[in-house]
């Protein structure tokens, strides 16, 4: 099939490469001409302008947007006047599912089709494939199946789930039509919320191991800090690169996230090149919003999100408040670390 890709960043360019490897023809556009020229040199049909991009696509056009959520609407505004009824727009970024519902209604009224596709795989997706969570009209999603099948990992070497053969479907191949408009990004939203929680659990556990040698360190006694009562119980200098590596081998906490953590620690045991400032791109917040609307508990996911806020210094003032209150009621003087 022919696919038009708008956005040639860390994921978009690699998706074009995987699609071309699977025999699809790709027309590629980006706001940066150098990115267009680079992918064109690898066999894609480059288009520096939107007009050229649309002109090089056969009707009915299939256009995949791989752009930040914040610029999806402006990208649509640039594209839609140049398209024809029956053309399909796929948003493969991390849009808010409620925006998908509104966009689908808008595009349907104009005669277009809109598909939301949560995409997971990161910079490794070109070789590993992308996990795809899809929302939209059944007929359109079915028609686009060759694209999704090429981008997805396929069955691969992962052991089959018991009873899966009786259930059928595409999920064991790494892509799934989750439901109507917004369903794909809803599933991806929760996927990323879970990711926040998993990442936080690994980080907290490894931090406990990192400080398991506190009993070997000298501590000044003062009235403001509870003393370590049993330093003999904290005499361990753990090699975290080795710990994460052994956990990868047969442990119930093994995962791709752990694989990546082990790789990072093997290359930089103290992670000196990182400051510890952790951003959040929105999905964690939206997941908590959904949990509140549904009145379901999401304690771990909420804590993981708030930890990201704290990592960016957003807890600084509240910590000053705590320090001020301690001073006001008890004359407690801050102790420098």
């Amino acid at each position: 099939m022919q696919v038009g890709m708008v956005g040639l960043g860390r994921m978009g360019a690699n998706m074009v490469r995987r699609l071309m490897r699977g025999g699809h023809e790709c027309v590629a556009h980006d706001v940066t001409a150098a990115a267009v020229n680079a992918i064109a040199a690898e066999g894609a049909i480059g288009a520096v302008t939107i007009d050229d991009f649309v002109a090089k696509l056969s009707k009915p056009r299939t256009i995949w947007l791989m752009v930040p959520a914040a610029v999806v609407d402006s990208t649509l505004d640039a594209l839609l006047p140049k398209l024809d009824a029956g053309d399909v727009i796929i948003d493969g970024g991390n849009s808010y599912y409620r925006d998908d519902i509104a966009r689908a209604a808008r595009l349907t009224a104009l005669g277009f089709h809109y598909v939301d596709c949560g995409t997971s795989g990161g910079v490794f997706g070109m070789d590993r494939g992308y996990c795809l969570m899809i929302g939209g009209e059944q007929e359109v999603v079915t028609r686009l199946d060759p694209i999704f099948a090429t981008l997805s990992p396929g069955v691969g070497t992962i052991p089959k789930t018991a009873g899966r053969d009786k259930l059928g479907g595409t999920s064991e191949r790494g892509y799934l039509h989750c439901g109507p408009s917004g369903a794909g990004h809803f599933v991806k939203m929760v996927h990323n919320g879970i990711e926040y929680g998993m990442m936080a659990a690994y980080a907290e556990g490894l931090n406990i191991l990192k400080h398991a040698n506190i009993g070997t360190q000298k501590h000044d006694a003062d009235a403001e800090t509870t003393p370590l009562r049993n330093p003999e119980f904290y005499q361990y200098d753990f090699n975290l690169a080795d710990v994460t590596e052994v956990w990868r081998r047969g442990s119930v906490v093994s995962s791709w996230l752990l694989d990546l953590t082990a790789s990072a620690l093997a290359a930089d045991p103290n992670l000196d090149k990182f400051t510890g400032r952790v951003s959040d791109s929105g999905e964690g917040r939206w997941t908590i919003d959904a949990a509140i609307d549904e009145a379901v508990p999401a304690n771990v996911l909420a804590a993981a999100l708030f930890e990201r806020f704290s990592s960016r210094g957003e807890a600084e003032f509240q910590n000053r408040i705590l320090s001020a209150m301690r001073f006001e009621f008890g004359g407690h003087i801050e102790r420098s670390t």
Side-chain angles (χ1 to χ4, degrees):
M1 295 181 69
Q2 187 193 61
V3 187
M5 180 68 72
V6 177
L8 302 173
R10 288 175 296 178
M11 291 182 68
N14 278 344
M15 292 171 76
V16 169
R17 295 181 178 102
R18 187 171 178 89
L19 286 166
M20 290 193 298
R21 184 189 300 171
H24 300 280
E25 180 181 79
C26 293
V27 181
H29 170 72
D30 192 271
V31 293
T32 304
V36 175
N37 294 333
I39 202 69
E42 298 182 39
I45 301 170
V48 175
T49 68
I50 285 287
D51 286 332
D52 190 33
F53 174 73
V54 173
K56 288 177 175 176
L57 288 168
S58 303
K59 302 177 184 179
R61 303 174 182 91
T62 299
I63 298 173
W64 191 301
L65 306 184
M66 211 62 197
V67 299
V71 300
V72 170
D73 285 320
S74 60
T75 303
L76 288 174
D77 289 341
L79 276 171
L80 295 183
K82 308 175 189 304
L83 302 183
D84 297 289
D87 289 350
V88 180
I89 303 286
I90 305 167
D91 179 6
N94 280 328
S95 289
Y96 190 21
Y97 79 96
R98 296 187 182 186
D99 293 336
D100 292 320
I101 295 172
R103 288 171 187 148
R106 173 190 173 198
L107 268 65
T108 298
L110 296 172
F112 306 121
H113 302 286
Y114 181 82
V115 174
D116 54 282
C117 183
T119 308
S120 182
V123 296
F124 297 92
M126 182 176 68
D127 295 318
R128 291 174 57 109
Y130 301 89
C131 176
L132 304 176
M133 295 143 272
I134 308 160
E137 305 160 79
Q138 179 66 66
E139 182 275 329
V140 174
V141 173
T142 299
R143 174 156 53 90
L144 298 176
D145 187 82
I147 296 173
F148 300 133
T150 298
L151 287 171
S152 68
V155 175
T157 59
I158 297 174
K160 278 186 169 292
T161 300
R164 185 72 240 177
D165 290 339
K166 299 176 183 178
L167 300 177
T170 62
S171 57
E172 71 172 351
R173 287 183 275 159
Y175 66 104
L176 177 66
H177 181 209
C178 301
S181 295
H185 278 145
F186 192 103
V187 174
K188 178 57 162 48
M189 172 186 78
V190 177
H191 163 285
N192 283 25
I194 292 171
E195 180 183 298
Y196 282 27
M198 292 175 65
M199 292 172 70
Y202 283 128
E204 290 178 10
L206 290 169
N207 199 32
I208 294 170
L209 291 174
K210 175 75 172 175
H211 291 86
N213 64 355
I214 191 171
T216 66
Q217 301 167 16
K218 184 179 183 297
H219 301 275
D220 295 329
D222 68 84
E224 299 300 317
T225 308
T226 299
L228 180 64
R229 296 183 182 277
N230 298 103
E232 69 274 17
F233 295 154
Y234 299 96
Q235 302 282 322
Y236 304 111
D237 288 305
F238 292 115
N239 184 315
L240 299 188
D242 286 347
V243 170
T244 50
E245 185 63 32
V246 77
W247 283 354
R248 293 181 61 217
R249 313 291 172 169
S251 166
V252 296
V253 301
S254 61
S255 71
W256 187 22
L257 282 173
L258 183 63
D259 294 345
L260 298 173
T261 305
S263 177
L265 287 168
D268 181 9
N270 291 317
L271 304 179
D272 290 325
K273 67 179 181 180
F274 299 99
T275 64
R277 185 189 190 280
V278 187
S279 299
D280 72 289
S281 54
E283 299 88 346
R285 303 184 189 207
W286 304 334
T287 301
I288 303 308
D289 287 342
I292 292 170
D293 287 343
E294 296 172 5
V296 298
N299 305 305
V300 171
L301 307 192
L305 174 64
F306 294 147
E307 176 58 33
R308 293 193 176 201
F309 297 165
S310 182
S311 78
R312 305 199 294 264
E314 302 301 337
E316 181 182 358
F317 186 71
Q318 71 191 58
N319 290 335
R320 292 183 186 181
I321 292 288
L322 290 172
S323 185
M325 286 190 290
R326 293 186 80 244
F327 179 77
E328 290 294 327
F329 70 67
H332 298 283
I333 305 298
E334 289 182 353
R335 181 180 183 275
S336 60
T337 55

